[in-house]
């Protein structure tokens, strides 16, 4: 059965369909999904526009009930939805279920936020005048998401958009439509009025582009590649719309001589290789001071030998396959580039055969890398990391910040002085001390600086900045 798009409250089949393939076993078709056309995208935008006046004025209890019900269903079905996620994306079952729980928590959080909408009342600078500051929804929000977090990223964009009274046109990544379809189905059954949330699965160049080109989308929130992010920005400037971008990362993880070696290795392995290195917060630059360098590299090698890389759904798997062939080629191309540039491939980097045909790659660790190499400057988005040797903390900080990106930055140290200095001076939106660069909470701001991000933060109460617009009203008393 083909899973359809949701446009103006109707499930629409369209004329084409595409297959969702399991990267752990390419013989396994997860499902078939209707491919939306540019026409479908325009119909979805028109439906969202028509639904906006009523939804923007809907009561907070109505919004709360729908979002809360969605949270409850996602959490009640976490095992089934987590399995679907792991099957379509390739992260391990534990990671898939964890991400699903996080999506449920995000809906739960924003269900609560519906009940906490507030403004300010101030005296005017002039006598006998009152001033009110209120937040209003922005209008029709376009949501464009990538494949690496098939349920969490849609959740952290859809939940606040609806909570604050916006209507939505949602385009998920083509590689992973299953999780997106599931949450739209849940929201729809939870009682959303028609047209408030529209799902258009399809190609970025067709459906996504139709969204960028529409004057009726008032805000676009995008997570994906730097190249596409730039297109979103340019089109948004053209239409004078609000936009928010989360793009690449080249996150540093600094290991100082005084680090607890076990803590450093665990955080580095997690940062670099868990979720197959396919997280924008993954660390691919391990910046290590001289005194601990050799012990760190040896301990990483030992730890990497024990990693279980296999079918995402198999019990005991620690690292699933790469998401598809094109990403696998990108990873192996960068491994070849690293060698050509003179870095030493110390561990891994081999293609692996398993019981089922899938995109299995042994995590790769380079040593003797410099920060000038392409493997240190460009986002690879796979289980590939490089060790860059530095003299001391000062050089480590300089190298950590010497990157066009600025999403997440980590340090392993037992020194309060260095931890404090690093927190203040890391040029990144998120800083981790003795923790992996990836792995963030759902109720606090997420986002970066420099080439990684544009616009206000996502998640937590800071999400209100993007999904609302402020009104200042003056009244003569
Ligand atoms: P990735 O390399 O991670 O797939 P992309 O930026 O290509 O990153 O994809 C992120 C999202 O952007 C996907 O949903 C994709 O379909 C969408 N996208 C790709 N090209 C365009 C475009 N021209 N306009 C709008 N969205 C696009």
């Amino acid at each position: 059965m083909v899973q359809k798009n949701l446009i103006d409250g109707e499930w629409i089949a369209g004329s084409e369909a595409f297959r969702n393939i399991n990267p752990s076993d390419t013989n396994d078709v997860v499902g078939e999904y209707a491919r939306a056309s540019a026409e479908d995208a325009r119909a979805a935008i028109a439906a969202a526009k028509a639904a906006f006046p009523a939804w923007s004025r809907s009561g907070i209890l109505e919004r709360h009930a729908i979002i809360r019900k969605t949270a409850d269903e996602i959490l009640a079905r976490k095992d089934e939805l987590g399995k679907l996620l792991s099957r379509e994306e390739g992260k391990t079952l534990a990671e898939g279920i964890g991400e699903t729980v996080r999506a449920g928590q995000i809906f739960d959080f924003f269900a609560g936020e519906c009940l906490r909408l507030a403004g300010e009342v101030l005296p005017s600078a002039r006598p006998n005048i009152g001033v009110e500051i209120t937040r209003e929804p922005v209008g029709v929000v376009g949501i464009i998401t990538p494949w690496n977090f098939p349920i969490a990223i849609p959740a952290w964009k859809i939940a606040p958009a609806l909570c604050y009274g916006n209507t939505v046109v949602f385009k998920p990544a083509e590689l992973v439509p299953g999780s997106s379809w599931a949450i739209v189905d849940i929201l729809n059954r939870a009682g959303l009025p028609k047209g408030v949330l529209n799902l258009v699965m399809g190609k970025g160049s067709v459906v996504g582009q139709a969204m960028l080109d529409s004057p009726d989308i008032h805000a676009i929130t995008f997570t994906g590649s730097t190249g596409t992010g730039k297109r979103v920005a340019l089109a948004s400037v053209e239409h004078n719309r609000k936009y928010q971008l989360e793009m690449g990362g080249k996150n540093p993880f600094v290991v100082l001589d005084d680090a607890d070696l076990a803590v450093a290795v665990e955080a580095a392995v997690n940062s670099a290789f868990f979720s197959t290195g396919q997280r924008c917060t993954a660390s691919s630059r391990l910046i290590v001071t001289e005194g601990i360098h050799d012990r760190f590299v040896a301990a990483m090698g030992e730890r990497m030998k024990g990693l279980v890389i296999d079918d995402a759904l198999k019990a005991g798997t620690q690292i699933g396959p790469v998401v598809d062939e094109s990403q696998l080629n990108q990873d192996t191309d960068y491994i070849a580039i690293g060698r050509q540039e003179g870095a030493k491939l110390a561990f891994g980097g081999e293609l692996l055969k398993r019981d089922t045909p899938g995109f299995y790659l042994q995590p790769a660790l380079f040593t003797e890398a410099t920060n000038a190499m392409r493997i240190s400057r460009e986002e690879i988005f796979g289980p590939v990391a490089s060790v860059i040797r530095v003299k001391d903390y000062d050089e480590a900080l300089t190298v950590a910040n010497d990157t066009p990106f600025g999403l997440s930055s980590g340090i392993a140290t037992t020194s309060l002085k260095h931890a404090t200095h690093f927190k203040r001076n890391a040029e990144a939106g998120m800083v981790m001390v003795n923790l992996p660069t990836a792995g963030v909470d759902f109720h606090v701001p997420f986002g970066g600086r420099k080439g990684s991000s544009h616009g206000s933060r996502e998640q937590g109460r800071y999400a209100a900045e993007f999904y609302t617009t402020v009104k200042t009203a003056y009244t003569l008393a």
Side-chain angles (χ1 to χ4, degrees):
M1 194 185 71
V2 174
Q3 308 282 29
K4 299 170 184 160
N5 289 303
L6 184 68
I7 301 174
D8 203 15
E10 302 287 329
W11 292 104
I12 307 286
S15 53
E16 280 183 47
F18 64 99
R19 288 171 149 199
N20 182 359
I21 304 292
N22 177 352
S24 298
D25 176 2
T26 54
N27 292 325
D28 177 30
V29 179
V30 181
E32 283 198 73
Y33 295 82
R35 179 177 274 146
S37 62
E39 227 12 80
D40 293 330
R42 285 191 279 273
I45 295 165
K49 188 180 176 185
F52 178 70
W55 181 249
S56 65
R57 290 187 175 80
S58 57
I60 56 169
L61 285 183
E62 179 185 358
R63 302 207 298 256
H64 169 265
I66 293 167
I67 298 173
R68 176 73 200 275
K69 214 166 157 187
T70 300
D72 289 347
E73 182 168 339
I74 291 172
L75 292 172
R77 291 172 57 195
K78 68 181 169 53
D79 293 336
E80 170 214 342
L81 293 173
K83 186 172 174 192
L84 168 67
L85 194 168
S86 294
R87 204 172 145 212
E88 69 176 350
E89 200 269 353
K91 63 182 65 174
T92 65
L93 193 53
E95 289 169 334
I97 293 170
E99 188 185 326
T100 304
V101 168
R102 181 166 167 204
Q105 290 166 331
I106 289 166
F107 276 101
D108 190 33
F109 178 88
F110 283 105
E113 285 303 284
C114 295
L115 306 180
R116 279 188 283 270
L117 286 170
E120 289 181 74
V121 179
L122 284 73
S124 163
R126 292 163 283 164
N128 301 324
I129 292 177
V131 181
E132 290 159 36
I133 304 170
T134 50
R135 286 189 180 274
E136 296 186 355
V138 178
V140 176
V141 174
I143 294 178
I144 300 177
T145 58
W147 50 260
N148 65 329
F149 284 94
I151 197 164
I153 295 180
W156 84 51
K157 294 180 189 296
I158 293 172
L162 298 176
C163 160
Y164 296 113
N166 303 280
T167 56
V168 172
V169 177
F170 168 39
K171 193 210 97 59
E174 258 206 315
L175 278 179
V176 291
S179 303
S180 292
W181 190 91
I183 56 173
V184 170
D185 171 54
I186 292 170
L187 276 157
N188 186 49
R189 283 187 289 97
L192 272 185
K194 75 185 179 89
V196 170
L197 172 64
N198 302 274
L199 172 70
V200 277
M201 301 175 287
K203 291 191 170 152
S205 57
V206 178
V207 174
Q209 194 62 43
M211 291 166 67
L212 302 195
D213 293 340
S214 171
D216 291 328
I217 292 197
H218 306 104
I220 290 196
T221 173
F222 167 84
T223 303
S225 65
T226 306
T228 309
K230 207 168 249 179
R231 295 175 87 106
V232 174
L234 290 171
S236 299
V237 168
E238 187 68 32
H239 292 288
N240 193 27
R241 73 161 75 95
K242 229 174 164 177
Y243 64 100
Q244 177 184 57
L245 311 174
E246 278 307 332
M247 303 173 289
K250 196 70 196 173
N251 308 295
F253 185 72
V254 170
V255 180
L256 297 185
D257 286 355
D258 62 28
D260 177 321
L261 187 63
V263 167
V265 167
E266 215 39 51
V269 165
N270 178 318
S271 299
F273 306 129
F274 283 12
S275 296
T276 324
Q278 298 173 152
R279 297 183 284 190
C280 36
T281 45
S283 175
S284 47
R285 294 187 299 141
L286 309 175
I287 301 164
V288 185
T289 49
E290 278 170 352
I292 198 171
H293 177 277
D294 293 355
R295 279 183 295 140
F296 176 77
V297 169
M300 284 292 285
E302 276 309 305
R303 179 72 176 83
M304 288 173 72
K305 266 190 231 157
L307 290 174
V308 181
I309 301 119
D310 207 330
D311 189 320
L313 299 180
K314 241 189 205 173
T317 295
Q318 291 170 317
I319 296 183
V322 172
V323 75
D324 73 350
E325 191 173 0
S326 132
Q327 183 61 52
L328 182 66
N329 289 338
Q330 180 166 315
D331 298 347
T332 53
D333 284 353
Y334 271 109
I335 291 171
I337 289 167
R339 286 173 132 161
Q340 283 157 18
E341 289 181 306
K344 182 179 153 209
L345 185 58
F347 302 101
E350 299 296 320
L351 294 179
L352 300 173
K353 286 232 167 309
R354 292 295 178 255
D355 293 345
T356 48
F359 307 110
Y360 298 105
L361 175 65
Q362 194 173 30
L365 185 72
F366 280 107
T367 53
E368 313 305 327
T370 71
N371 202 44
M373 291 175 177
R374 282 182 64 195
I375 52 166
S376 302
R377 304 210 74 78
E378 297 168 18
E379 187 175 51
I380 300 170
F381 220 61
V384 183
S386 321
V387 175
I388 301 170
R389 188 198 301 252
V390 291
K391 198 163 77 278
D392 54 16
Y393 169 74
D394 291 339
E395 189 185 353
L397 178 65
T398 304
V399 170
N401 286 337
D402 178 9
T403 170
F405 297 106
L407 186 57
S408 181
S409 200
I411 189 166
T413 180
T414 52
S415 152
L416 180 62
K417 179 179 145 195
H418 287 139
T420 306
H421 190 270
F422 191 78
K423 278 191 275 186
R424 292 216 180 112
N425 292 283
E427 293 169 5
M430 295 174 291
V431 183
M432 310 291 186
V433 178
N434 293 319
L435 287 167
T437 52
V440 296
D441 285 359
F442 65 90
H443 66 307
V444 291
F446 176 92
R449 306 178 178 180
K450 292 157 77 176
S452 289
S453 309
H454 180 92
S456 50
R457 290 288 184 267
E458 303 200 72
Q459 303 200 57
R461 301 185 73 180
Y462 284 68
E465 285 305 317
F466 183 73
Y467 294 98
T468 65
T469 179
V470 168
K471 181 176 277 174
T472 314
Y474 296 80
T475 312
L476 180 63

